[in-house]
C-alpha cells in the first residue's frame, strides 16, 4: 500500500461547510497527488505537490486548495463544499527513484455533500 | 490537454478465455502508459506499464502493446481467472517540469470473469 493512509475514510457534510481531507505517507516520497473518482470520468487530477510548500494545479482544481507543510502530509481543502464535490477522493504518491516514477494510490475517502 | 478514451466500458469473458481492453490518447507528447486494476472499495493498483520507446511488454498472464503512430495501447489478459474480475483503468502521462508524471485516465472497463 506504499505506506499511504487517508483520513477520514468516510465523511458526510452539508453544502457550504469547509472540509479538509488528509493524506499521510510514511516513506518520505517527494511527489503527492489528489484525485477524484466519479462514475463515467475515471480518475481526475485535482492538485499535486512536488515538495514541501510546492504545489501545482491539475485538470479539476476549481473549488479545491491544498497545502503541504511537511513531507509526510498533503491536505486537500474544500473551502465551501458543494454537492458537485460528492466523490471518492484518492491520494497517490510517486516513488521517485523507481523505474518510471510509478504512482501508488491510497485507500480513498468517500465524501458526501448534502 | 491530454484526452484518453477507453473501450469497452464493460466486458464479460468466460473463465480461461482472453480479455482485451483498448485505449487511445490524443497528445503525442505522452510517453508513459500505466494500467491500473481497482477492486471494490479499494484504491487503484498498478499492474503493468509501458514506456513509449517500447512496443510490447509482458508480465505472466498480462501484456500491454503500444502503437505510437496510431496513438493507441491495449491490455491483454490471457487465461482469465475469477480474481481478474475488477475495474481496469488505462492512463497516459506527460512528464511535468517538476520531474513527475501527470496522468490522464480513461473512464474504466468493468471486467467480469464468468466461471
Amino acid at each position: 500500500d506504499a505506506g499511504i493512509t487517508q483520513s477520514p475514510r468516510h465523511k458526510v457534510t452539508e453544502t457550504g461547510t469547509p472540509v479538509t481531507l488528509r493524506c499521510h505517507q510514511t516513506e518520505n516520497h517527494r511527489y503527492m497527488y489528489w484525485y477524484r473518482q466519479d462514475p463515467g470520468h475515471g480518475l481526475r487530477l485535482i492538485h499535486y505537490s512536488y515538495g514541501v510548500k510546492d504545489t501545482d494545479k491539475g485538470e479539476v482544481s476549481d473549488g479545491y486548495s491544498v497545502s503541504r507543510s511537511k513531507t509526510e502530509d498533503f491536505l486537500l481543502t474544500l473551502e465551501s463544499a458543494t454537492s458537485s464535490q460528492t466523490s471518492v477522493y484518492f491520494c497517490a504518491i510517486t516513488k521517485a527513484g523507481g523505474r518510471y516514477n510509478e504512482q501508488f494510490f491510497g485507500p480513498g475517502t468517500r465524501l458526501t455533500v448534502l | 490537454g491530454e484526452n484518453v478514451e477507453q473501450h469497452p466500458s464493460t466486458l464479460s469473458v468466460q473463465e480461461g478465455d482472453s480479455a482485451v481492453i483498448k485505449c487511445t490518447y490524443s497528445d503525442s507528447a505522452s510517453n508513459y502508459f500505466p494500467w491500473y486494476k481497482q477492486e471494490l472499495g479499494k484504491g487503484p493498483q498498478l499492474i503493468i506499464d509501458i514506456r513509449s520507446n517500447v512496443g510490447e511488454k509482458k508480465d505472466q498472464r498480462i501484456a500491454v502493446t503500444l502503437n505510437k503512430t496510431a496513438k493507441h495501447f491495449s491490455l491483454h489478459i490471457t487465461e482469465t481467472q475469477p480474481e481478474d474480475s475488477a475495474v481496469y483503468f488505462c492512463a497516459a502521462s506527460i512528464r511535468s517540469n517538476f520531474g513527475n508524471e501527470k496522468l490522464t485516465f480513461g473512464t474504466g472497463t468493468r471486467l467480469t470473469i464468468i466461471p
Side-chain angles (χ1 to χ4, degrees):
Chain A
D1 63 355
I4 304 169
T5 57
Q6 293 185 230
S7 58
R9 294 293 314 279
H10 302 270
K11 186 171 182 65
V12 179
T13 191
E14 294 187 349
T15 298
T17 60
V19 176
T20 295
L21 308 182
R22 180 187 185 224
C23 177
H24 180 76
Q25 53 125 337
T26 59
E27 300 179 1
N28 206 34
H29 300 297
R30 177 184 177 189
Y31 303 106
M32 300 183 74
Y33 311 79
W34 277 107
Y35 289 86
R36 60 177 291 174
Q37 183 174 36
D38 305 288
H41 289 279
L43 293 102
R44 292 179 291 174
L45 181 64
I46 305 172
H47 283 280
Y48 67 97
S49 170
Y50 50 95
V52 173
K53 292 185 170 39
D54 294 324
T55 65
D56 197 13
K57 295 179 178 180
E59 63 178 303
V60 290
S61 59
D62 287 348
Y64 301 95
S65 62
V66 290
S67 65
R68 192 168 178 201
S69 60
K70 47 187 178 178
T71 300
E72 56 266 35
D73 288 327
F74 191 32
L75 304 180
L76 177 70
T77 297
L78 292 64
E79 300 289 349
S80 178
T82 67
S83 58
S84 64
Q85 294 176 311
T86 292
S87 187
V88 180
Y89 291 86
F90 287 99
C91 174
I93 59 92
T94 288
K95 289 190 173 184
R99 292 177 301 142
Y100 305 126
N101 289 338
E102 303 99 325
Q103 288 187 24
F104 295 87
F105 286 80
T109 293
R110 182 173 294 276
L111 176 67
T112 302
V113 183
L114 301 176
Chain B
E2 174 67 281
N3 181 50
V4 177
E5 295 191 358
Q6 182 172 347
H7 299 282
S9 57
T10 60
L11 178 62
S12 294
V13 173
Q14 207 71 36
E15 182 178 353
D17 288 349
S18 296
V20 180
I21 302 170
K22 299 182 178 182
C23 290
T24 61
Y25 62 99
S26 62
D27 193 333
S28 58
S30 290
N31 57 8
Y32 172 60
F33 306 91
W35 286 88
Y36 286 84
K37 175 183 180 182
Q38 186 176 27
E39 297 176 337
L40 193 62
K42 296 184 178 180
Q45 178 187 10
L46 179 69
I47 56 171
I48 195 168
D49 55 17
I50 191 168
R51 279 283 176 189
S52 58
N53 58 351
V54 176
E56 184 174 357
K57 182 178 177 181
K58 188 174 182 179
D59 182 2
Q60 298 183 339
R61 295 187 297 107
I62 60 174
V64 57
T65 59
L66 171 65
N67 184 325
K68 281 185 61 179
T69 303
K71 296 200 192 75
H72 68 71
F73 55 114
S74 301
L75 178 71
H76 304 252
I77 306 174
T78 59
E79 301 174 10
T80 53
Q81 301 170 3
E83 53 265 36
D84 295 329
S85 293
V87 179
Y88 291 81
F89 292 95
C90 64
S93 173
I94 297 174
R95 183 68 65 93
S96 83
N97 292 333
F98 310 109
N100 60 307
E101 305 289 352
K102 293 180 66 175
L103 297 180
T104 301
F105 283 83
T107 50
T109 296
R110 181 174 300 278
L111 175 63
T112 302
I113 307 302
I114 305 167

